[in-house]
Amino acid sequence: THVLKVRIIADIEDRIQVEMEREKQSPQEALRIIKGDDEQRRKWSMQLYGIDTHDSSLYDLVIHIGRITVDDAADIICHTIGKESFKATPQSRKAMDNLSLAAEVKAVLIETNPTVETTAADGKVFVRAKINEFQQLEVIEEMKKRAGTVKGVQEVEIKVLPVTLYSD
């Protein structure tokens, strides 16, 4: 609850100018790259989290850089995080610690199994993954071993999800 979710947007013309200066490109090439990058980020967040990053309801604050300078935007953000509603509490810190641990474990397991989903609670990590029944024992053992290398992991519980080999 103490996390401030901010989206900063800018006019396309300004983004093109920055891209042209940084990469020494034509306006057309800069626009093509920006649109490609934006679409790739959007697809990535949809695939991983099922969210559309363009949905403004996901954010506490949306700032349009243009009339508001970068320094003003930074001041607005700093002022907002100083408000009581964004102060960390023991419960919100614990929730962040659990999210962080789950994310770290997922990062070390994703190479072993791209279907892996993780959650954590007080050092216990819960893993859900699709694992072929013929490889279950060795994959589960490898996943437990890898997860155990993450600082803070005290216990790992793995639930195997059914693998669909074909569909009608």
Side-chain angles (χ1 to χ4, degrees):
T1 57
H2 68 273
V3 174
L4 175 66
K5 295 172 288 298
V6 180
R7 180 170 189 215
I8 299 175
I9 57 176
D11 290 328
I12 192 69
E13 295 81 14
D14 294 336
R15 294 179 67 202
I16 289 170
Q17 191 62 41
V18 169
E19 182 72 17
M20 286 171 45
E21 291 170 9
R22 184 178 59 225
E23 300 296 330
K24 310 291 187 244
Q25 299 166 336
S26 70
Q28 297 81 8
E29 182 64 12
L31 178 61
R32 186 189 68 74
I33 288 172
I34 290 168
K35 284 185 174 182
D37 288 350
D38 287 352
E39 187 59 27
Q40 190 174 28
R41 284 185 197 105
R42 196 174 195 175
K43 285 179 182 177
W44 177 80
S45 68
M46 286 296 290
Q47 184 176 0
L48 278 181
Y49 306 109
I51 60 169
D52 181 358
T53 55
H54 287 81
D55 179 0
S56 61
S57 70
L58 297 172
Y59 306 95
D60 301 306
L61 194 57
V62 177
I63 299 175
H64 185 172
I65 300 295
R67 286 185 39 201
I68 296 175
T69 66
V70 172
D71 287 341
D72 289 342
D75 286 343
I76 291 167
I77 293 168
C78 289
H79 177 75
T80 304
I81 60 172
K83 296 291 187 184
E84 192 63 34
S85 58
F86 291 105
K87 296 274 189 230
T89 64
Q91 296 88 354
S92 67
R93 287 184 199 275
K94 186 176 181 178
M96 285 299 293
D97 290 344
N98 287 333
L99 284 171
S100 177
L101 183 60
E104 288 181 56
V105 171
K106 183 174 183 172
V108 299
L109 295 181
I110 202 90
E111 288 181 26
T112 305
N113 188 316
T115 69
V116 72
E117 299 171 12
T118 58
T119 57
D122 303 320
K124 184 171 182 178
V125 178
F126 304 90
V127 179
R128 295 168 33 109
K130 293 180 181 179
I131 305 172
N132 183 306
E133 67 180 293
F134 301 110
Q135 299 172 317
Q136 276 186 16
L137 292 177
E138 63 192 49
V139 172
I140 288 172
E141 195 58 39
E142 178 65 19
M143 290 172 74
K144 284 185 176 184
K145 180 180 164 189
R146 286 181 180 228
T149 65
V150 176
K151 184 180 177 191
V153 172
Q154 297 168 4
E155 187 180 342
V156 179
E157 183 179 301
I158 298 178
K159 179 177 181 180
V160 177
L161 302 174
V163 176
T164 305
L165 298 177
Y166 57 88
S167 61
D168 294 332

